[in-house]
Amino acid sequence: MIGTWVSILPPLIAIVMVLATKRVLLSLGSGVVAAALLAASFSPGESIKNLWSGMIVSFWDGGELNTYNIYIMLFILLLGVITAFVSLSGGSRAFAAWAVQRIKTRRGAKLLTVFLGIAIFVDDYFNALAVGQIARPITDQHKISRAKLAYFIDSTSAPICSISPISSWGAFLIGQLALIFGGAAAISYSPLSAFIMMAPMNFYVVATLATVFFLAWTDVDLFGMKKHEELAKEQGQLFDPSKAIPGQLKEEFPVHAHGRVRDLVAPIVVLVAVTFAMMIRTGYLAGGSMSIWSIFENTDVPLSLLIGGMAGTAVAAMLYMLQMKRNETASMRLVIRAFTTGVQSMIPAVLILIFAWALTDLIAVLDTGAYLSGVVISANLPVAFLPVIIFVLASLMAFATGTSWGSFGILLPIAGTIMIDAAPDILLPALAAVLAGAVCGDHCSPISDTTILSATGAGSNLMDHVTTQLPYALISAAIAAIGYIVLGITGSVWIGLIAVIILLVILFAVWSMKAKKEAVQLSA
């Protein structure tokens, strides 16, 4: 069953169940069990071994501790603790009061979130969690739904990282391009220059970022997002409190007026500064060079996040303890409660990640990605349609496996080999289509770690985030697909890009007219 059509069943089971039942852990668990059974050909003993190896891979992999995943989980728990201390100290309340005096409109709050998402481009995990911590008090104050905040975070973090050379993504992708170009004597550009040239060819990122800015600037909302926004505007109820929401504190702390803006800003600034400094340090120690490209290629992102999280937590705790002299409600008992409550608030997110990583590991054993890529290779398709076919395949692969990086690793070498032999003049657009499709599939997938972390950063229910982002992602994907068809037929990147821009202008005009019509009907 390995490497056959059956290998796509486990992710499909998980995805269909999570959309139908909204019970994430049950759905992911069902996918994990199905994958373990199929990988063992339903042998009971082997299935149990597969199930154990999948569940333990988050902690132990290849005979040693899986520090990558462990550090990410610890960092998430620390973010919960920072959130608890910021709430306990009154920092969130003070920052919201400060921000509302300066950011007086919902548009300003939305645009701030989008600009933060683009400004923090060094890593998608870091982006998703840090932007949520900074923007959440402001968007809450302006009654912007947590689902929309999660959408803004998710639809800026991975897209901007996928086109930024100075990022963990950029370093990884430039390294992949170096391997592809190394065996091709006809290639005249360097991996770095090729990566930069591919940015405008990533039509999904262009469509997604344009849509994000349009939705931030206007009050246009569609489908499920419209319901969440109406609820937030009218009732101020930003989420369903009965649901398990990663990043939401389950226990309220005493409300007081002693909080200061620094109680929120200082821990976040320290977290960002220490994390960035550690990324530079670990990249330099591993690569032995102060070259910015070498640093980001060799940096240890999870370790940097963990140390940054520890520093941010320490500052948040110290700022609260300084309040004990001027705040009669402050006590060491509340300090301990902040630690326990903060950790508990992030347990759902950590459990979801563990199950998602287990499913990803077992999907790799089943060779799901290899099967999907083999279907395209054996189909002998027209060269002009290869970019759009590669885009669709990468989208399906990332959607089914929940990992854009895994899709990069499988499809970039395959697309490179095919295009170098069949159509070297559109090699870079085809490689850009892999990046675009992988990010698209990642956005659509409820089992993607970046989707989970974006919901965590925003304090949104995971399925609320998935179902509200999905229509926007699919619309951007359709526009990108048309762009790649035009590119393949004309052989011109710029004509393909112009086609994407024209479609976006038409789409935004239609949305704006529809919103005005609805506003007139409501006023009447």
Side-chain angles (χ1 to χ4, degrees):
M1 298 182 184
I2 293 175
T4 67
W5 69 270
V6 179
S7 65
I8 67 173
L9 290 179
L12 286 180
I13 290 171
I15 290 164
V16 170
M17 279 193 64
V18 81
L19 292 174
T21 67
K22 314 296 184 186
R23 299 178 66 180
V24 180
L25 288 176
L26 174 63
S27 303
L28 288 173
S30 300
V32 170
V33 172
L37 288 168
L38 290 173
S41 298
F42 294 96
S43 167
E46 288 299 316
S47 296
I48 292 173
K49 287 182 181 179
N50 288 338
L51 191 59
W52 171 252
S53 65
M55 295 305 297
I56 204 68
V57 75
S58 297
F59 308 94
W60 189 264
D61 188 26
E64 59 184 11
L65 284 175
N66 187 343
T67 54
Y68 190 101
N69 287 2
I70 290 172
Y71 290 165
I72 292 293
M73 289 185 283
L74 290 174
F75 175 69
I76 292 172
L77 296 177
L78 288 172
L79 272 183
V81 176
I82 291 174
T83 302
F85 272 116
V86 166
S87 175
L88 178 61
S89 66
S92 295
R93 183 179 180 180
F95 183 75
W98 174 86
V100 78
Q101 294 176 357
R102 291 157 179 82
I103 301 174
K104 299 182 181 298
T105 64
R106 299 181 85 250
R107 175 185 291 173
K110 291 185 289 185
L111 286 173
L112 174 65
T113 304
V114 173
F115 281 121
L116 285 171
I118 291 174
I120 304 178
F121 54 76
V122 292
D123 182 72
D124 59 325
Y125 284 5
F126 182 37
N127 181 307
L129 296 167
V131 172
Q133 293 290 304
I134 298 170
R136 193 161 39 181
I138 304 169
T139 54
D140 281 0
Q141 188 73 27
H142 287 279
K143 296 184 178 180
I144 296 167
S145 68
R146 293 286 179 88
K148 192 152 201 176
L149 175 59
Y151 163 69
F152 285 149
I153 293 171
D154 204 1
S155 291
T156 53
S157 59
I160 198 65
C161 288
S162 70
I163 60 174
S164 170
I166 307 176
S167 69
S168 56
W169 284 52
F172 171 76
L173 292 169
I174 290 168
Q176 290 291 105
L177 293 177
L179 294 174
I180 295 168
F181 296 166
I187 302 298
S188 59
Y189 28 72
S190 69
L192 174 59
S193 62
F195 181 78
I196 294 172
M197 291 164 62
M198 285 161 57
M201 305 174 192
N202 194 326
F203 294 159
Y204 177 77
V205 165
V206 172
T208 296
L209 292 179
T211 302
V212 165
F213 271 106
F214 174 80
L215 295 174
W217 183 262
T218 67
D219 281 328
V220 173
D221 294 296
L222 304 171
F223 312 108
M225 188 71 81
K226 187 173 183 179
K227 295 179 181 178
H228 280 267
E229 285 294 277
E230 288 174 350
L231 188 64
K233 290 177 187 176
E234 295 172 6
Q235 302 178 20
Q237 183 178 341
L238 306 179
F239 42 77
D240 181 352
S242 67
K243 297 179 181 178
I245 302 170
Q248 177 196 353
L249 294 177
K250 303 291 190 293
E251 183 177 0
E252 293 297 327
F253 295 107
V255 177
H256 58 80
H258 298 281
R260 299 177 181 177
V261 172
R262 74 176 188 186
D263 294 328
L264 180 139
V265 173
I268 300 300
V269 169
V270 169
L271 185 152
V272 172
V274 173
T275 299
F276 192 71
M278 285 304 302
M279 289 176 71
I280 294 174
R281 175 175 171 76
T282 56
Y284 168 71
L285 292 177
S289 169
M290 280 303 293
S291 163
I292 193 70
W293 315 117
S294 173
I295 286 171
F296 277 94
E297 183 178 358
N298 294 285
T299 190
D300 190 335
V301 174
L303 177 61
S304 302
L305 285 172
L306 177 61
I307 294 176
M310 293 170 64
T313 301
V315 170
M318 285 189 293
L319 286 173
Y320 173 70
M321 286 188 280
L322 287 174
Q323 287 190 9
M324 290 184 180
K325 294 181 180 179
R326 65 179 190 275
N327 178 8
E328 64 280 359
T329 64
S331 68
M332 286 304 298
R333 180 182 61 83
L334 287 176
V335 171
I336 296 171
R337 202 172 103 189
F339 273 99
T340 57
T341 303
V343 168
Q344 289 171 5
S345 73
M346 289 299 187
I347 292 296
V350 171
L351 289 175
I352 290 170
L353 274 178
I354 290 172
F355 275 74
W357 282 329
L359 182 57
T360 300
D361 181 71
L362 290 171
I363 286 171
V365 173
L366 287 169
D367 279 342
T368 303
Y371 165 73
L372 290 172
S373 60
V375 170
V376 171
I377 293 173
S378 62
N380 196 22
L381 299 163
V383 170
F385 292 101
L386 283 178
V388 69
I389 290 167
I390 289 171
F391 169 73
V392 172
L393 175 63
S395 299
L396 291 173
M397 187 179 295
F399 178 76
T401 60
T403 168
S404 50
W405 282 40
S407 302
F408 295 151
I410 294 171
L411 277 183
L412 281 174
I414 292 172
T417 301
I418 293 173
M419 302 312 294
I420 287 171
D421 293 336
D425 53 321
I426 55 172
L427 168 63
L428 294 188
L431 296 177
V434 174
L435 308 191
V439 173
C440 172
D442 204 60
H443 277 168
C444 297
S445 178
I447 63 174
S448 161
D449 50 3
T450 50
T451 300
I452 295 165
L453 291 177
S454 295
T456 302
S460 168
N461 175 268
L462 174 59
M463 289 315 301
D464 286 345
H465 169 46
V466 172
T467 54
T468 52
Q469 176 169 259
L470 186 60
Y472 297 124
L474 291 177
I475 290 169
S476 295
I479 292 173
I482 294 171
Y484 285 121
I485 291 172
V486 173
L487 184 155
I489 293 173
T490 63
S492 170
V493 171
W494 298 111
I495 294 177
L497 182 59
I498 290 170
V500 169
I501 293 171
I502 291 172
L503 288 171
L504 287 169
V505 171
I506 294 171
L507 179 67
F508 296 160
V510 170
W511 283 352
S512 297
M513 287 188 290
K514 183 180 178 181
K516 287 180 181 178
K517 185 178 179 180
E518 290 178 352
V520 170
Q521 290 174 345
L522 287 173
S523 61

